[in-house]
Amino acid sequence: MWWPLSIDLACFRWINQTLSNPACDLLMPLLSDPKLVLLPALVAVPFLLWLGNARLRACLLFAIASVVLVESLVVGPLKQAIRRPRPAEFLPETRLLVGQGKPRSMPSGHAANSFTVVTVFLWFYRRKALLLLPVAGTIAFSRVYNGAHFPSDVLVGAILGTAGAGLTIWSADRRSEEHTSELQSRQVI
């Protein structure tokens, strides 16, 4: 067996089986449940966009745009291209605590989305947003614990989410600089 795959399988079995306990069996499926994030977000985001300051509004809009871009341009196409099966499809000992969702495993959309949001918040709020890193890490960990992904799936998802958000911010920042210099040059003339 190819050694990176054997490490991935060993880590998966350790997290999914050896670390299993009743408390995590209750908590981890909640962290993987999209309703836990989506329902409060559907209520909070419009409210914060309406009442929040300009910085918070910009942060939320960048986070939403970054998640949409990373999910639709990177994660979705990669899942279709790589076509890696989920753990329960070929490891009968998998403890599956949540539904498997779509049949493709690599990369993890949960990890990509949570790290995309954290990266955007880190850009806007620096140290204050560091508190969100353990949340994103725990969501990614829960995907392996729940049997929905291999560790490499969530690692790649986290890297893609971070890079995708960074690229979105960088390109918007660069475009803003170009626009500002263009406006300044017009005023000089």
Side-chain angles (χ1 to χ4, degrees):
M1 182 181 301
W2 189 47
W3 68 269
L5 180 59
S6 64
I7 292 171
D8 204 25
L9 290 174
C11 289
F12 173 79
R13 286 183 176 115
W14 182 68
I15 294 168
N16 181 256
Q17 294 157 15
T18 307
L19 293 182
S20 67
N21 64 74
C24 286
D25 286 355
L26 290 173
L27 177 64
M28 293 300 168
L30 293 175
L31 293 172
S32 283
D33 188 353
K35 291 181 288 242
L36 184 71
V37 174
L38 290 177
L39 292 178
L42 288 174
V43 172
V45 168
F47 182 72
L48 293 171
L49 287 172
W50 180 48
L51 293 177
N53 61 25
R55 183 183 194 187
L56 180 59
R57 285 194 300 269
C59 180
L60 290 171
L61 291 174
F62 264 98
I64 292 166
S66 295
V67 165
V68 169
L69 288 171
V70 169
E71 185 66 35
S72 61
L73 298 177
V74 181
V75 173
L78 277 178
K79 278 187 185 239
Q80 291 306 312
I82 296 170
R83 305 179 73 79
R84 184 180 196 185
R86 293 194 181 261
E89 291 180 42
F90 67 92
L91 292 176
E93 70 271 20
T94 298
R95 296 176 55 251
L96 188 60
L97 302 179
V98 294
Q100 293 191 74
K102 296 177 184 172
R104 304 293 172 237
S105 182
M106 169 74 86
S108 166
H110 282 75
N113 294 337
S114 58
F115 276 90
T116 298
V117 170
V118 168
T119 302
V120 171
F121 271 81
L122 282 170
W123 178 260
F124 279 90
Y125 290 101
R126 307 279 187 240
R127 282 191 284 217
K128 292 177 186 176
L130 285 174
L131 297 172
L132 295 175
L133 273 174
V135 174
T138 305
I139 289 170
F141 178 83
S142 78
R143 300 303 290 161
V144 179
Y145 186 91
N146 290 328
H149 284 285
F150 292 102
S152 60
D153 300 341
V154 298
L155 178 62
V156 169
I159 291 168
L160 291 173
T162 302
L167 184 60
T168 303
I169 291 166
W170 175 81
S171 62
D173 192 41
R174 183 167 168 86
R175 180 69 185 128
S176 175
E177 288 174 7
E178 290 171 1
H179 184 66
T180 302
S181 66
E182 182 180 317
L183 288 175
Q184 288 172 346
S185 67
R186 286 183 184 173
Q187 290 174 355
V188 172
I189 298 174

